[in-house]
Amino acid sequence: MLKNYIKIAWRNLKKKPLFSFINVVGLTTGLGCTFFFYLWVSDELMIDRFHKNDARLYQIMEKSTENGNVLIHDHTQGPLAEALEKDFPEVEHAVTVMNLEKEGMKITFTNEEHAYKSAGVFSSSTFFDIFTFPLIEGNRAQVLQEKNNIVVSEQLANKLFGSSQNAMDKSLEYSIFGVNHVAKISGVCEDVPANSTLKFDFILSKTKLLEDIWVNGKEWYNTGPETYVLLKPNTNAALFEGKISNLIDKYDEGNIFSIFLRKFSDGYLYGNYENGIQSGGRITYVRLFSLIAILVLLIACINFINLSTAQVSSRFKEIGIKKVVGTSRSALMLQFLTESIVLSFLATVLAIGLVLLFMPSFNYIT
C-alpha cells in the first residue's frame, strides 16, 4: 500500500512541475542554509573541547585596577606555575606557555638543506600531561626535560627531514633576538587540529627561555607567559579560586594583580570582559546564528505549507471522487502526507548536495 501511495504522490508531483519546482527549491534553500548554520555553530561549540581532561583544565587569568578601570589579562608571571604546584595540593599539574605567535614572532629553523619560518611556544615539561596533543614520536614525560629539547609538528618534521622518524634526535639551528641557538628534536607531535586556539609548529623548553633568552622572566614583577592548571579530580574550582586569589602577594608584595580561574575551553566563546566582569564573546554570534537558523527553517516550512495548501482547491474533484468510491479519511490523509514526505525527502537530498558543493567556499569564508 505504501509503495502505491509513493507512486501516486510521484505522479501528482510530475503533473504539476511548476508547483513542485517552486516548493522543492524553497525547501532546499531553507534546509541548505540551516545545515550551514548548524555546521558553523557545532564547530564553534567544539573549539578547545577535544582535550581528554577538558573538565579539569583551567587557565589562570589576572585582574588589575588601573586608572580606575578593572582590566583582565591572560599574561601571567613566569614563576606562577611552579608556585601553584608547590603551594596547592589541588593542582595536579601546572604549565607555563609563552606563545610567540601572540607576540608577533616567528623563528626560522635551519638544517643542512632547508630553512622554514615557524610559529611556536616555549613551555614546561608537563605540557603534554595537561594538553593531550598526540605524540607520534617521543615519550610525553621526557620530551621537554632537557633545556635544548624541542618537539616539532609532523608537518615541520616532514618539511625539514622528510618524515617524523627521520627527524628524531636531529639538530636544528635557530636565531632569536640576534643570538644563535641549537635544539635537538626529542619528539614529534601530530599537527594541531583546526579546532584548537593554541597553535604551534614547535615547542621549546621553558628552561631554555628563562636561562638563555629571557632571563628576567624568572622574576615576579614581569608578566608575559600564560599559565594553565590541571586540577585533581573532584576539586571544587570555586573554592580553589578563592584560595589562590591573592597568591601573587605572597611573592611580590604590593603588586596590582589578583588571579582567578577560567575554564580553558570557555576562553574562545566567553573571552570578553567589561570592567572585570565577563560579558560574553563569540557566544553572542553562536546564539545569534542559531536563532537565524531556526527562523530560516521556520520560514521555509511556512512557505512549504502555504504552497501545499494553495493546491488543495484544485484537487477537490479528485478528493470527492475518491470519497464516493469508498476511500477513507485516513487513507486520503496518508496520501497527502506521502506527497509532502516525498517532496521533503527530495529537498533534503538536494540540500545535502548543495552543502557538499559549497563546503570548500563555506570553509574559506568562515
Side-chain angles (χ1 to χ4, degrees):
M1 197 66 176
L2 181 61
K3 183 179 179 182
N4 188 49
Y5 282 135
I6 294 173
K7 189 184 294 183
I8 293 171
W10 183 249
R11 286 174 181 170
N12 284 327
L13 294 175
K14 287 172 67 178
K15 279 170 59 178
K16 299 171 182 176
L18 182 61
F19 158 77
S20 301
F21 175 77
I22 293 173
N23 226 342
V24 168
V25 168
L27 195 55
T28 297
T29 304
L31 286 171
C33 291
T34 303
F35 289 156
F36 277 125
F37 282 127
Y38 170 77
L39 290 170
W40 183 82
V41 168
S42 297
D43 188 66
E44 290 288 287
L45 292 175
M46 291 305 295
I47 297 293
D48 285 335
R49 299 186 186 277
F50 60 90
H51 293 289
K52 180 180 177 182
N53 298 312
D54 173 59
R56 299 187 286 128
L57 179 55
Y58 292 85
Q59 182 175 3
I60 301 295
M61 305 292 290
E62 293 195 348
K63 183 186 296 185
S64 65
T65 302
E66 302 175 31
N67 299 321
N69 297 317
V70 180
L71 304 179
I72 302 298
H73 318 268
D74 57 4
H75 289 177
T76 58
Q77 289 73 15
L80 182 58
E82 288 81 354
L84 286 165
E85 279 194 341
K86 178 171 67 74
D87 295 348
F88 298 97
E90 295 93 338
V91 176
E92 185 171 318
H93 294 294
V95 68
T96 301
V97 176
M98 174 63 90
N99 195 326
L100 297 181
E101 189 170 28
K102 281 191 175 182
E103 304 298 326
M105 294 175 57
K106 288 191 174 184
I107 294 178
T108 299
F109 290 97
T110 58
N111 59 9
E112 294 177 355
E113 301 175 0
H114 304 95
Y116 289 100
K117 184 176 285 188
S118 303
V121 301
F122 286 88
S123 192
S124 316
S125 59
T126 54
F127 180 87
F128 288 101
D129 293 316
I130 292 183
F131 299 105
T132 49
F133 296 107
L135 278 174
I136 299 171
E137 302 286 344
N139 185 321
R140 65 174 52 245
Q142 299 175 353
V143 287
L144 292 173
Q145 287 285 359
E146 301 297 327
K147 182 172 78 169
N148 291 314
N149 282 1
I150 183 173
V151 177
V152 298
S153 67
E154 183 178 15
Q155 184 181 45
L156 185 57
N158 290 338
K159 285 179 179 178
L160 290 169
F161 300 103
S163 71
S164 300
Q165 288 182 332
N166 289 341
M168 286 297 291
D169 297 323
K170 295 293 196 306
S171 293
L172 287 176
E173 296 180 2
Y174 64 97
S175 175
I176 186 167
F177 300 135
V179 179
N180 295 325
H181 303 273
V182 177
K184 179 182 177 183
I185 298 178
S186 56
V188 178
C189 66
E190 290 185 7
D191 294 334
V192 177
N195 60 340
S196 174
T197 57
L198 183 56
K199 306 285 188 183
F200 57 87
D201 288 320
F202 65 87
I203 308 169
L204 283 161
S205 170
K206 173 190 172 182
T207 306
K208 178 69 175 178
L209 174 70
L210 296 182
E211 290 187 3
D212 297 342
I213 299 170
W214 185 43
V215 179
N216 287 338
K218 300 175 185 177
E219 306 299 332
W220 280 92
Y221 57 77
N222 264 330
T223 61
E226 297 162 359
T227 302
Y228 302 92
V229 295
L230 180 65
L231 300 182
K232 291 180 179 177
N234 303 318
T235 297
N236 186 311
L239 292 177
F240 176 71
E241 185 177 61
K243 292 175 66 175
I244 66 171
S245 176
N246 297 313
L247 173 64
I248 301 175
D249 288 338
K250 177 180 176 181
Y251 297 95
D252 184 21
E253 190 175 351
N255 73 90
I256 62 173
F257 299 107
S258 62
I259 61 178
F260 65 96
L261 295 178
R262 182 177 73 187
K263 199 163 182 292
F264 173 66
S265 55
D266 285 347
Y268 178 75
L269 293 177
Y270 301 90
N272 290 356
Y273 293 86
E274 289 184 11
N275 202 30
I277 299 173
Q278 206 286 319
S279 59
R282 289 184 68 88
I283 190 64
T284 303
Y285 297 103
V286 170
R287 290 167 179 162
L288 176 63
F289 283 111
S290 297
L291 178 61
I292 293 173
I294 293 171
L295 291 176
V296 168
L297 185 60
L298 185 62
I299 290 169
C301 291
I302 291 172
N303 181 61
F304 178 82
I305 293 167
N306 285 341
L307 286 170
S308 299
T309 305
Q311 292 296 312
V312 172
S313 60
S314 66
R315 301 183 66 177
F316 282 157
K317 187 183 292 187
E318 175 193 345
I319 295 169
I321 292 172
K322 286 184 175 180
K323 291 182 75 173
V324 167
V325 297
T327 303
S328 65
R329 178 186 176 88
S330 59
L332 286 171
M333 289 174 61
L334 188 57
Q335 180 190 323
F336 283 101
L337 282 173
T338 303
E339 290 180 16
S340 295
I341 290 170
V342 169
L343 264 177
S344 301
F345 177 76
L346 181 60
T348 302
V349 171
L350 291 174
I352 293 172
L354 199 68
V355 169
L356 294 175
L357 178 64
F358 288 103
M359 184 62 75
S361 300
F362 178 74
N363 285 335
Y364 176 79
I365 292 169
T366 58

